[in-house]
Amino acid sequence: MTDVSFMGFRRPDGRVGVRNHVAILSAMDNTNPTAERIGSMVAGTVVLSTPFGRGQIGHDLDVTLRTLSGIASHPNIAAVLVLSLSIKAGEALAARIAKTGKPVEVLGLQDEGSATWLTAKGVQVAAQLVADASELHRQPCDLAELVVAVECGGSDATSGLASNPAVGRFADRLVDAGGTIILSEPAEFMGAEHLVAARAVNEEDARRIHDMVQWFEDEAKRHGVDMRGTNPTPDNIEGGLTTLEEKSLGAIAKGGTRPIVEVIEYAEAPSRKGLVVMNTPSAACESMTGLAAGGAQIIIFSTGRGNAIGAPVAPTVKVTGNPNTMNGMPENIDVDVSGILSADLGLDDAGEQVWRQVAKVAGGKLTRCEILYEQQLSVSRFGPSV
Amino acid sequence: MEESQCFYCVNCGLPVDKIVILNAVDNVATSLSALSPGAAITLHDGQSLTVLDAVPFGHKFALAAIKPGGDIVKYGEVIGCAARSIAQGEWVHIHNVDSARGRGDLVQDELEPGTLDEGASD
């Protein structure tokens, strides 16, 4: 193995997975308890559910379908069992997932007769999917086949000084190796958007970056509120971040310095390799759900004050540059770069630590989020249900 | 901006262990320890200043006096403006700095009520 290869699962659609889960996907809120029951009874499964999924129209319907199908289609998923109130109601979602070529089964509560019978049937079907998936084996893959998303949360002054620049070093290296980095949370470009937009390779994408930031400005105006207190959050402020501009200037460092080759919407998959910007909200669970749905096999989560949560399906690597956070929550942190602030660790060496950890995680090493079940699926919503 | 993110005094390139000045044009420094009022800070160019307030880990203090409305500069970029006069060595944070962005509170009746829920992000 060289430093640019890892052992991954090659999927029928050509993408490579770093995990080999069977997904129990609840297509709507009313089958969530059954999905949880099946998941708790069958090893090797992950449950994908959302509190919403019924009564949605327009933009929300598009976003929810794109997100749930994106996550279930994810290369870290070997096969999918879709649960729905009726088979017919789950078919649209199943059809989208089946385009990847992976096995997809659909079961309906009304078709099986009750939640109890759906549970029993679901356990039988899921057990077979897991048995089949367990025969798949890892093969040599190139790190350039990875899409790695970079996220930050619980930010403080150390985020912009240490962990984000360290992640940025990783980002540049992966892009240079031919891989893809997704930078998100454009509300946290605010005050630094001129620096981000200037790196877009075409004018249209530069304009979209400005427009995405402006949308958040307009939302603050619509509500007549000062965004400070919501973003930066109370914990950001306690950690020394005074304004959103200051937070943003630190946040963008995690995307590295390479040109931006594409701008995509929430939960869309990049069509190009290189540095890509996705439009997500700054709330970490929503943002990471969109990033995972876009196909990011791994997410790097830079934190200052400390934040334990990870993405669904995509192993989430926690990096901190805050020595107090490292001391306080070591069980939640994968990479400690706090040595940067005591001048014991150079930025390049810190980037190397992130690189090595990501390579290990790609090959199967579990992240703290996976070990401690710190995973949350949360789909962005924009309007009411009908 | 990226390459100037060093962890050294920008004036002479020597490592610092107490404070960080990210760019030569910055008028605030970030403390890497909890500073007490009266703490003497000697910069590598020989200049010294006295910290006037308690400055927690990761927080900022002024390297020079800043007039009301003056730019607060960190990373070589403007991160806000002084809400009042700020003295050299004074703690610089939300009590004396205003943000220029996301200020819907300064705008009235421009737009219809929107749909984005308020809630802390990360």
Side-chain angles (χ1 to χ4, degrees), chain B residues 5 14 17 25 32 36 41 46 54-56 58 61 66 70 75 80-81 85 94 96 99 102-103 108-109 111 113 118:
Chain B
Q5 275 185 341
L14 291 177
D17 58 358
V25 303
L32 296 180
S36 302
I41 299 288
V55 180
F61 60 90
I66 305 168
Y75 297 104
C81 65
S85 178
I94 57 172
N96 55 14
S99 171
R103 295 300 302 271
Q108 290 179 343
D109 301 329
L111 298 161
E118 288 131 27

Side-chain angles (χ1 to χ4, degrees), chain A residues 8 32 58 99 118 124 136 163 181 183 197 214 250 272 335 347 385:
Chain A
N32 289 352
K99 284 181 187 166
L118 178 61
Q124 292 173 349
L136 302 174
S163 54
I181 292 285
L183 175 66
Q214 188 61 44
R272 292 164 179 257
V335 185
L347 264 185
S385 300

Side-chain angles (χ1 to χ4, degrees), chain A residues 161 217 223 242-243 245, chain B residues 7 60 79 93 99 101 118:
Chain A
L161 297 177
E217 282 268 26
H223 288 272
T242 304
T243 64
E245 297 95 304
Chain B
F7 302 95
K60 299 173 291 300
I79 64 163
H93 203 29
S99 171
R101 305 298 301 274
E118 288 131 27

Side-chain angles (χ1 to χ4, degrees), chain A residues 153-154 157-158 160-161 165 190-191 193-194 217 219-220 222-228 230-231 233 237-238 240-243 245-247 249-250 257 282 284 307 382, chain B residues 1-2 5 7 22 30 32 57-60 74-75 77-79 92-94 97-105 107 110-112 114-116 118-122:
Chain A
T158 69
L161 297 177
M190 201 177 283
E193 67 265 51
H194 55 294
E217 282 268 26
E219 284 300 317
R222 283 192 183 100
H223 288 272
V225 296
D226 181 353
M227 219 183 264
R228 186 154 73 179
T230 298
N231 206 350
T233 62
I237 291 169
E238 207 176 326
L241 297 176
T242 304
T243 64
E245 297 95 304
E246 181 184 14
K247 181 178 175 179
L249 287 160
T257 63
S282 305
N307 180 329
F382 301 87
Chain B
M1 184 195 84
E2 291 75 9
Q5 275 185 341
F7 302 95
L22 290 162
T30 301
L32 296 180
F57 171 84
H59 287 233
K60 299 173 291 300
K74 180 182 172 184
Y75 297 104
E77 298 282 335
V78 176
I79 64 163
V92 174
H93 203 29
I94 57 172
V97 176
D98 279 333
S99 171
R101 305 298 301 274
R103 295 300 302 271
D105 57 320
V107 182
E110 265 200 3
L111 298 161
E112 292 296 308
T115 55
L116 189 70
E118 288 131 27
S121 64
D122 295 279

Side-chain angles (χ1 to χ4, degrees), chain A residues 91-113:
Chain A
E91 275 173 348
L93 204 48
R96 287 190 183 213
I97 301 161
K99 284 181 187 166
T100 61
K102 70 178 75 172
V104 183
E105 302 281 352
V106 194
L107 294 174
L109 186 145
Q110 293 166 353
D111 307 87
E112 296 305 321

